[in-house]
Amino acid sequence: MSKYQKLQDRYTALLQLNQLSIDCADLNALLEQVHHAIAGVMSANNFYIVLYDQTFSTLEFVYHVDEKDEMEPRKYALSEFEGTMTSYVIETGKALLATPEVITQLEQEHKIDPVGIGTAGVDWLGVPLIDDGFVIGVMAIQSYSAETRYQESERDLLEFTAQHIVTALTRLQDRGRLKDAVDARTRELMQQIRDREKAELLQESLYRISELTNDPDLEIDTFYSLVHNIVGQLINAENFYIAKYDAKNDELFFAYFLDQQFNNDDGYYKPRKLSNHFTELVLRSGETVLLDQQGMVDLHQKGITIKPETDVLSWLGVPLIHSGELLGAMVIQSYQQSVFFTEQDAELLRFVSRHVASAMKRREIANDERKTYELLEHQVKLRTAALEDEIKQRKVAEEKLKHAASHDILTGLPNRAVFIDLLNRAIARNKRHPEFKFAVLFLDLDRFKVVNDNLGHHAGDNLLKEISTALIDVIRDKDTVARLGGDEFVILVEDIEGSEGIFEVAKRITSLMSLPFMIENQSVFIGTSIGVLFNNERYDSADSMLRDADIAMYHAKDKGKGRFEVFDSSMHKEVQNALSLESDIRKAIDNQEFIPYFQPIVQITDGKIIGFEALARWPSDKRGFVYPDDFIPLAEETNLVMAIDLQILEKSCQQLMLWQQRLGLDHLYVSCNLYCNHFFNLSLPQDIQSIIDKTGVQPHQVRVELTERALLENSDVVLDNMLALKRMGVKILLDDFGTGYSSLSYLHRFPMDVLKIDRSFIHKVHERGNHQAIIKTIIDLAANLNMATVGEGIEHEADAQLLKSMGCDYGQGYYYFKPLPGDEIESFLLSKS
């Protein structure tokens, strides 16, 4: 072949390779055609392409044709190829034309081993595949014949080919990721549609039950029947009964039942003294009981219950409890192999039980009230005639005196004394009649001081009058608006049916106060913050209720003003507890009280421990053992968590070094959570490097975890910090993946090594098909992005096996190990060594 013909063939091959990198839609087809094109211009009977995963130090032969050797299409550890020319090209990042003379020189320089894969031929030519400065693989050809030798021109051609292969690989990977993302989003939307339909049916059914519960004229037997009908639309409730408990006589009778197998003729639903039936199991425990046939048999064999009926295959019972009083039980059972009840059915039945118990108790109370009312009505009629004249004579005078003593001079509203009296009466009435409900709204004007300071006190007085009139228009006639003083108002809303009505009143007031008031020909914007407090049996005085309503109002101001907040019992202690806890946290940081607990992370294929997640724990000298949920939120709010994180990271590294020295375990690593603000601080890499230098651990033994929030704020600073950590050799894990923003855009942009799948998807995933689809998508996505995956919160063997089958790399959770202090972990590691 002439010199010019060779040049023409190479030019044609180069054009063909360039077009392949653009047109080819399949990796295998691309690699096969690349081989064909190269073989057209040089001897390439022995040709392979291997991809290198830097994160996991693995090799994968994606294409391999050889006259003598065969390579399985699987991933190999890079260590298996140590001393080979393939490994040499990966390490150097440069092409290698290895003639026998070059091979001998490399062996003498100990850069390759005398015996290794790829050293048995005459000439070997390999070039690196480089993407964005990183070696991602090797393409190589080899000659076993002295007649076939390679020159620099073949090396140049192979290097040029490598660039096109990298381009095509990147394009194909991007196309695959996009397709996976679109497919995952489509499946997610379809699941959302199905879930929404289920939720709408559930909401409608529960609303109908609520309507039945609030109908005082509905006969109890009819109520039971309608409840059964509604429950039957949500659960298979063909066999349903409500058993009522008579605590005085320790008896059980069936207020309602409908059963396919049993009836009163066979005595199944006759009243009885409490015994050891399954219904009594619910009554005695006061808890939901969900059993299959084997579970019922086991209870019988243990002597706890009677022998179950052979026809009963699934049994679900919930207690009927009202205000701590046990009224009875509600039960459904199945005689069909196709019908088995679940925890979701149990949760629904528990919800329904509260409404049924409320209806039963309300009818008892209503009956007692009716009798009392009839007696009082008779007595009132006897007294009314005698007192009527006296009342008429004194009424006018008393009303004038009361109004003067009980109303605010400026606004004409009831004053504090009157409101206190009305509120105490409402409290007393609620004590006598628990079904009587009421609420207090505590209002404070947000910008009243601005009006006073700028327009004067006269304008402020006029504004208070306007607001008083507006508030009266918002409430019902039977409710009370009062002025406590200054710019503080309170509203007593009595005889309420639920919280929603109160929320509507609060919303109307905040909306009204957001509008301008015309004061002295000038628009004034005022706004208000409202504390909402519902009655509760713990309140014995109006002063204590006003205090808590005031606390709720200040919470509304703290959260941005122009809003309302409902009092929570925790608010009362929150301020004092927060101040005390903050002081103790600061002292604990100074005293080095925070210590790491270690939860092992295992290789999911064989359960081998590869590292630990270090979790902050606080054995306080003052408070005893303080759980993370009790101090982490405040530590984050006050930014003290920054010091805690670095303290835990340093102690974890110290512990890792002790294990290496005592046990010789050099393969382990520690992974620590870092609060997102760490990544907003440019000193983070120096902080971590200082800890590494101080403790003596290797950078690759240190991993840091961050949440998605850190990626969405100050993204440029965060990216700089992450790149600096990567250069140090520290690996980066994205924690709780799937619960936040979860955008493909930041997964491409930020250099993460590992995705940790959030425990909310893992928990009982073997029972949740929709979660299985999400987890599979995350695992595949991570694999496509060359990231590892860790399943968090694994508690069941079935979940572990399912994650293993999906290809999840690592796992952690109580199924494997719970978090333990360092000495207990060391004892465990010592026992396994």
Side-chain angles (χ1 to χ4, degrees):
M1 182 181 296
S2 68
K3 176 181 179 181
Y4 296 107
Q5 182 62 42
K6 288 183 178 180
L7 289 174
Q8 179 63 39
D9 289 346
R10 292 196 173 191
Y11 178 74
T12 302
L14 293 177
L15 288 177
Q16 181 181 357
L17 289 170
N18 182 62
Q19 194 62 37
L20 282 175
S21 69
I22 298 173
D23 295 340
C24 198
D26 178 74
L27 178 61
N28 292 330
L30 169 68
L31 299 179
E32 185 175 343
Q33 292 184 55
V34 166
H35 182 199
H36 179 74
I38 292 174
V41 295
M42 69 178 75
S43 177
N45 293 336
N46 309 293
F47 175 84
Y48 67 86
I49 296 176
V50 61
L51 296 183
Y52 168 53
D53 186 330
Q54 182 179 6
T55 301
F56 300 104
S57 296
T58 58
L59 296 178
E60 181 180 6
F61 286 83
V62 294
Y63 188 86
H64 186 275
V65 175
D66 197 278
E67 297 171 318
K68 297 185 177 183
D69 292 334
E70 291 186 4
M71 298 300 295
E72 295 182 23
R74 64 177 179 85
K75 291 187 177 182
Y76 296 83
L78 180 61
S79 58
E80 297 181 50
F81 288 79
E82 185 176 356
T84 66
M85 287 181 286
T86 300
S87 177
Y88 179 81
V89 172
I90 290 173
E91 292 173 0
T92 62
K94 296 180 180 179
L96 173 64
L97 174 54
T99 63
E101 295 79 15
V102 171
I103 292 172
T104 300
Q105 180 179 351
L106 291 175
E107 289 175 351
Q108 291 173 352
E109 294 174 356
H110 302 292
K111 293 182 179 178
I112 64 173
D113 292 339
V115 179
I117 299 173
T119 61
V122 176
D123 280 0
W124 186 94
L125 173 59
V127 297
L129 304 177
I130 298 177
D131 181 25
D132 197 18
F134 294 94
V135 177
I136 64 168
V138 174
M139 179 168 60
I141 56 176
Q142 181 167 320
S143 167
Y144 294 107
S145 170
E147 298 176 359
T148 301
R149 305 298 297 271
Y150 298 123
Q151 306 298 325
E152 296 295 330
S153 58
E154 279 86 1
R155 184 193 66 186
D156 295 342
L157 177 60
L158 215 59
E159 285 185 313
F160 180 83
T161 303
Q163 296 175 11
H164 287 282
I165 291 176
V166 170
T167 300
L169 280 172
T170 302
R171 185 177 56 78
L172 290 174
Q173 289 173 347
D174 287 344
R175 179 185 297 173
R177 294 182 189 122
L178 179 59
K179 180 179 181 302
D180 291 344
V182 171
D183 291 345
R185 182 57 178 162
T186 301
R187 291 192 295 271
E188 179 185 351
L189 289 174
M190 293 303 296
Q191 186 60 45
Q192 287 177 359
I193 292 171
R194 289 190 290 270
D195 291 345
R196 188 180 300 114
E197 291 173 349
K198 292 179 182 177
E200 288 173 354
L201 174 60
L202 176 61
Q203 184 177 7
E204 178 185 354
S205 301
L206 297 181
Y207 178 72
R208 289 172 58 199
I209 292 174
S210 179
E211 283 186 322
L212 296 177
T213 304
N214 293 322
D215 186 354
D217 299 325
L218 191 66
E219 291 293 331
I220 191 67
D221 291 338
T222 305
F223 172 80
Y224 291 147
S225 178
L226 291 174
V227 167
H228 181 198
N229 181 55
I230 295 171
V231 172
Q233 296 178 24
L234 302 171
I235 313 174
N236 190 313
E238 292 179 304
N239 309 291
F240 175 91
Y241 64 82
I242 294 176
K244 194 168 182 180
Y245 173 55
D246 180 357
K248 183 178 180 181
N249 299 310
D250 200 32
E251 289 182 341
L252 191 69
F253 68 92
F254 296 88
Y256 175 87
F257 61 87
L258 191 63
D259 197 297
Q260 296 173 308
Q261 301 281 6
F262 306 102
N263 52 51
N264 254 345
D265 294 338
D266 52 27
Y268 195 81
Y269 289 108
K270 288 184 178 180
R272 64 171 181 257
K273 287 282 187 181
L274 252 62
S275 58
N276 61 341
H277 288 68
F278 290 94
T279 306
E280 281 85 330
L281 190 63
V282 175
L283 298 177
R284 291 193 174 99
S285 67
E287 302 287 345
T288 300
V289 176
L290 174 60
L291 298 167
D292 56 15
Q293 190 178 55
Q294 185 58 51
M296 300 176 77
V297 171
D298 291 344
L299 289 174
H300 168 63
Q301 291 177 347
K302 294 176 182 177
I304 298 174
T305 63
I306 64 168
K307 183 177 181 180
E309 300 290 343
T310 57
D311 294 331
V312 180
L313 303 179
S314 186
W315 195 94
L316 171 59
V318 297
L320 296 171
I321 299 174
H322 179 77
S323 298
E325 180 183 356
L326 179 64
L327 304 180
M330 183 162 54
V331 176
I332 55 176
Q333 49 191 351
S334 167
Y335 308 125
Q336 303 175 34
Q337 290 284 353
S338 60
V339 179
F340 281 90
F341 304 121
T342 66
E343 286 294 340
Q344 185 177 2
D345 299 328
E347 179 63 29
L348 175 63
L349 209 60
R350 276 195 292 270
F351 180 87
V352 174
S353 72
R354 292 193 285 270
H355 291 270
V356 175
S358 175
M360 292 167 62
K361 191 63 180 178
R362 186 168 58 251
R363 279 160 174 78
E364 290 180 6
I365 295 172
N367 187 51
D368 294 340
E369 283 188 343
R370 185 175 60 255
K371 294 177 181 179
T372 303
Y373 179 77
E374 290 173 355
L375 177 60
L376 289 174
E377 189 177 44
H378 177 68
Q379 294 175 342
V380 168
K381 286 180 179 179
L382 294 177
R383 295 279 295 170
T384 298
L387 297 174
E388 193 168 305
D389 289 340
E390 183 181 352
I391 291 172
K392 287 180 180 179
Q393 294 172 8
R394 299 178 59 181
K395 186 174 183 180
V396 175
E398 289 179 350
E399 288 297 326
K400 290 181 179 179
L401 290 172
K402 285 181 180 178
H403 190 275
S406 61
H407 286 71
D408 176 56
I409 297 175
L410 176 65
T411 63
L413 294 176
N415 60 19
R416 183 186 188 93
V418 171
F419 190 83
I420 291 289
D421 181 64
L422 291 174
L423 186 53
N424 277 325
R425 292 185 185 185
I427 294 171
R429 182 179 175 187
N430 174 255
K431 297 293 184 183
R432 297 191 305 271
H433 308 294
E435 75 278 5
F436 170 74
K437 307 294 183 184
F438 63 95
V440 174
L441 281 68
F442 196 114
L443 286 66
D444 184 270
L445 306 182
D446 291 333
R447 287 176 290 277
F448 181 72
K449 187 177 184 299
V450 176
V451 176
N452 261 353
D453 292 345
N454 290 278
L455 300 181
H457 291 285
H458 180 70
D461 289 347
N462 289 336
L463 177 60
L464 292 174
K465 293 177 184 178
E466 291 282 345
I467 290 174
S468 300
T469 302
L471 291 176
I472 291 173
D473 292 338
V474 170
I475 64 171
R476 302 171 301 178
D477 291 339
K478 61 181 177 180
D479 301 329
T480 303
V481 180
R483 181 187 176 207
L484 296 184
D487 61 340
E488 292 183 341
F489 296 83
V490 284
I491 301 175
L492 175 61
V493 185
E494 299 183 80
D495 198 18
I496 63 176
E497 295 182 356
S499 59
E500 288 302 321
I502 298 301
F503 296 158
E504 286 299 320
V505 172
K507 289 175 184 177
R508 287 201 301 270
I509 293 174
T510 53
S511 297
L512 174 66
M513 293 301 171
S514 67
L515 300 175
F517 287 84
M518 290 301 298
I519 304 297
E520 298 182 353
N521 297 320
Q522 184 170 342
S523 295
V524 175
F525 290 85
I526 191 71
T528 186
S529 299
I530 305 174
V532 178
L533 177 68
F534 293 96
N535 69 283
N536 190 289
E537 61 184 9
R538 68 175 177 273
Y539 292 113
D540 295 318
S541 70
D543 288 334
S544 61
M545 290 197 73
L546 282 178
R547 176 201 63 205
D548 289 349
D550 188 30
I551 290 173
M553 180 272 293
Y554 275 104
H555 272 263
K557 280 192 177 294
D558 289 341
K559 291 187 177 181
K561 300 182 181 180
R563 57 182 290 135
F564 69 91
E565 287 290 328
V566 180
F567 177 79
D568 177 7
S569 59
S570 63
M571 291 180 181
H572 186 60
K573 299 179 181 178
E574 186 174 336
V575 175
Q576 292 180 337
N577 289 346
L579 291 173
S580 174
L581 181 59
E582 180 182 351
S583 175
D584 289 347
I585 291 174
R586 291 183 185 277
K587 293 177 182 177
I589 292 172
D590 293 337
N591 296 335
Q592 293 280 315
E593 291 183 11
F594 296 96
I595 63 171
Y597 269 39
F598 299 89
Q599 184 170 36
I601 301 173
V602 305
Q603 198 164 267
I604 211 163
T605 53
D606 56 12
K608 179 182 177 181
I609 297 175
I610 61 164
F612 303 89
E613 180 177 359
L615 303 169
R617 295 294 185 265
W618 182 16
S620 171
D621 295 337
K622 175 181 176 182
R623 295 171 175 262
F625 191 89
V626 184
Y627 289 96
D629 287 346
D630 294 331
F631 72 88
I632 291 294
L634 181 60
E636 291 181 346
E637 181 182 335
T638 56
N639 224 33
L640 293 173
V641 73
M642 305 276 283
I644 296 174
D645 286 347
L646 295 179
Q647 194 172 112
I648 293 299
L649 179 58
E650 181 174 337
K651 290 184 177 181
S652 301
C653 292
Q654 290 172 347
Q655 182 66 71
L656 187 62
M657 283 300 297
L658 286 176
W659 290 335
Q660 292 180 17
Q661 295 165 1
R662 294 173 181 173
L663 307 178
L665 299 176
D666 297 332
H667 67 283
L668 300 176
Y669 66 83
V670 290
S671 180
C672 295
N673 290 287
L674 294 185
Y675 186 49
C676 60
N677 286 4
H678 282 288
F679 288 86
F680 305 155
N681 191 339
L682 290 175
S683 68
L684 175 63
Q686 291 78 11
D687 293 338
I688 294 180
Q689 184 65 58
S690 175
I691 291 174
I692 290 173
D693 295 340
K694 183 177 180 180
T695 58
V697 298
Q698 297 300 313
H700 71 270
Q701 295 177 307
V702 178
R703 304 192 178 190
V704 296
E705 301 184 16
L706 74 161
T707 59
E708 295 178 49
R709 178 190 161 193
L711 306 180
L712 304 179
E713 299 179 23
N714 303 319
S715 57
D716 291 336
V717 176
V718 173
L719 179 59
D720 290 342
N721 279 329
M722 293 176 73
L723 292 174
L725 292 175
K726 291 284 288 184
R727 288 192 292 270
M728 289 165 52
V730 175
K731 294 187 180 296
I732 302 172
L733 289 70
L734 182 59
D735 198 15
D736 301 334
F737 182 76
T739 61
Y741 189 64
S742 304
S743 168
L744 288 176
S745 62
Y746 73 65
L747 289 183
H748 283 285
R749 182 181 179 194
F750 293 97
M752 270 88 64
D753 299 292
V754 180
L755 296 183
K756 300 192 76 175
I757 305 171
D758 186 73
R759 66 182 65 248
S760 62
F761 296 110
I762 300 296
H763 183 61
K764 293 188 177 179
V765 66
H766 63 281
E767 299 177 1
R768 302 175 178 181
N770 58 334
H771 282 194
Q772 293 175 24
I774 294 172
I775 292 175
K776 180 59 177 172
T777 300
I778 294 174
I779 293 173
D780 292 344
L781 174 63
N784 289 332
L785 295 175
N786 293 325
M787 298 180 189
T789 47
V790 177
E792 296 184 283
I794 300 174
E795 296 183 2
H796 304 281
E797 182 180 5
D799 294 337
Q801 292 300 323
L802 186 59
L803 289 172
K804 179 180 178 181
S805 69
M806 289 182 178
C808 184
D809 301 296
Y810 308 107
Q812 68 180 102
Y814 276 36
Y815 170 69
Y816 298 107
F817 305 94
K818 65 179 181 180
L820 295 170
D823 55 349
E824 294 187 34
I825 290 290
E826 181 172 333
S827 299
F828 173 79
L829 293 174
L830 189 61
S831 68
K832 294 295 183 180
S833 61

